[in-house]
Amino acid sequence: MSGNYFSLIKNHAESIKAFSRSTELNSKFAYAYTLQGHEYTANESFETAKEFYRKAIACDPHHYNAYYGLGDCASRLGKYEEALIYFEKARLINPINVILICCCGHALEKIGRYNQAVSYYGIASKLQSDSTLPKYRIAQLYFNVGRFNLALEIFNELVEINPEEATIHFMLGQIYQTMGLKKDAIAAYSKAMSLDPQGNHVIEEALEKCHYQE
């Protein structure tokens, strides 16, 4: 459908028009309403997006993508308890979807329910052992709550799985720097820089601060 093409090139206005034509032809086309919602979300028109997600659910109460969309809107607005409700509804419909489980974990993390968040990330990791997303989320959570040794262990595992991912090396640099391991931090940041030829300014700033760290 042409709406997907316009969405890929980030022409949200044309994409919305295309999906709107689909719902004019079929007023019960739940997924087309959801796709319109996604386009409005991309434009940060969250209230309008929510209207379309609700239209999708009215057409199909088991349309988990629309519940995900409502959760995404709430999350972007910082309403994490509300986001958790919608993500959970989506997960109950599609219980083996790793992304939905991680979304629940992220919402739990944001409202301070860290043990439950780790549990959700663990479930996601078991369901899809080759996915780096749940492992990354667990490691980042451990870093955020000051459990640096556990975070370091998991990020080192992630480097083995995906050695070309700059973000993983950057996070290793963050952990090493926080632990006072300056040489290791510089090596990790430098590796992240080499994998990010565009020269991410966040990595550059972190590396510069690390050089001046006592």
Side-chain angles (χ1 to χ4, degrees):
M1 104 180 18
S2 60
N4 288 324
Y5 167 74
F6 288 121
S7 181
L8 284 171
I9 62 172
K10 300 188 185 305
N11 188 335
H12 301 300
E14 288 301 318
S15 183
I16 288 167
K17 286 180 184 178
F19 294 136
S20 180
R21 284 195 292 272
S22 296
T23 53
E24 285 171 6
L25 292 170
N26 180 1
S27 63
K28 298 295 183 181
F29 192 0
Y31 194 45
Y33 287 122
T34 292
L35 292 173
Q36 287 179 77
H38 290 342
E39 295 305 311
Y40 282 111
T41 298
N43 278 339
E44 299 187 352
S45 300
F46 299 121
E47 292 305 316
T48 304
K50 286 190 283 186
E51 289 177 15
F52 281 96
Y53 293 136
R54 290 187 180 110
K55 285 181 180 180
I57 292 166
C59 294
D60 180 4
H62 298 288
H63 188 57
Y64 73 88
N65 304 81
Y67 284 114
Y68 163 81
L70 287 169
D72 187 36
C73 286
S75 184
R76 288 169 184 257
L77 292 168
K79 299 177 180 179
Y80 297 109
E81 291 192 5
E82 181 182 330
L84 179 60
I85 292 169
Y86 290 123
F87 287 143
E88 280 285 17
K89 286 183 177 181
R91 185 186 68 84
L92 288 172
I93 296 167
N94 189 351
I96 61 170
N97 187 301
V98 168
I99 292 174
L100 291 177
I101 297 168
C102 285
C103 285
C104 290
H106 181 68
L108 285 163
E109 187 178 342
K110 287 292 187 180
I111 60 177
R113 291 159 63 179
Y114 301 124
N115 289 337
Q116 283 182 277
V118 169
S119 177
Y120 272 62
Y121 295 145
I123 292 167
S125 189
K126 286 179 182 177
L127 280 171
Q128 195 171 327
S129 59
D130 60 341
S131 173
T132 59
L133 176 61
K135 291 182 176 69
Y136 184 92
R137 287 285 177 84
I138 292 173
Q140 193 167 44
L141 187 156
Y142 282 145
F143 174 73
N144 291 339
V145 299
R147 302 181 71 178
F148 303 123
N149 287 327
L150 285 172
L152 183 61
E153 182 181 335
I154 299 171
F155 274 118
N156 277 321
E157 288 178 15
L158 287 168
V159 166
E160 295 295 320
I161 296 168
N162 193 355
E164 302 302 309
E165 177 53 57
T167 307
I168 295 171
H169 291 281
F170 174 74
M171 284 304 302
L172 273 174
Q174 294 271 279
I175 296 167
Y176 285 133
Q177 186 175 0
T178 303
M179 296 174 75
L181 301 171
K182 182 176 177 179
K183 288 184 180 179
D184 292 319
I186 290 172
Y189 286 141
S190 298
K191 181 64 176 178
M193 285 291 294
S194 70
L195 293 170
D196 184 6
Q198 300 303 314
N200 187 302
H201 73 280
V202 175
I203 303 174
E204 289 179 346
E205 288 178 8
L207 184 57
E208 185 177 349
K209 287 179 182 178
C210 193
H211 276 296
Y212 289 105
Q213 184 177 335
E214 293 296 332

